[in-house]
Amino acid sequence: MSIKSKIKLTSVKIVDDLYRDFKHVSFDENVNLQKLVNRCMLLYVEDEEFRNKINAEIKLLESGSSF
């Protein structure tokens, strides 16, 4: 079974300023948002140190959408 048959379409709200910064940084790195999200989710699931780092991040304060 191909990976394309296992894709889940979602809708995610992201911080506008952060997304603009990401687009500038990622342009030279050949990374798009889909690639970043999938790789981050994989690391979050498989790498406890990465998961702890993400869970401890406090630069983005939680809002109604839990950023």
Side-chain angles (χ1 to χ4, degrees):
M1 184 178 283
S2 74
I3 197 164
K4 286 189 176 187
S5 66
K6 298 178 184 179
I7 292 175
K8 172 71 176 167
L9 180 61
T10 66
S11 176
V12 179
K13 294 178 183 179
I14 57 176
V15 178
D16 188 49
D17 291 341
L18 189 56
Y19 182 62
R20 270 187 265 143
D21 292 345
F22 166 76
K23 287 193 312 186
H24 289 110
V25 172
S26 65
F27 183 76
D28 294 334
E29 301 294 331
N30 191 29
V31 174
N32 57 42
L33 186 58
Q34 180 175 337
K35 190 182 283 187
L36 176 69
V37 168
N38 283 311
R39 290 176 180 184
C40 285
M41 288 192 331
L42 177 68
L43 286 171
Y44 190 86
V45 168
E46 294 184 352
D47 185 335
E48 186 175 353
E49 185 177 333
F50 180 83
R51 184 171 45 250
N52 291 338
K53 186 174 182 177
I54 295 298
N55 290 339
E57 181 56 56
I58 60 171
K59 288 182 184 173
L60 295 176
L61 300 176
E62 287 191 18
S63 69
S65 297
S66 298
F67 291 131

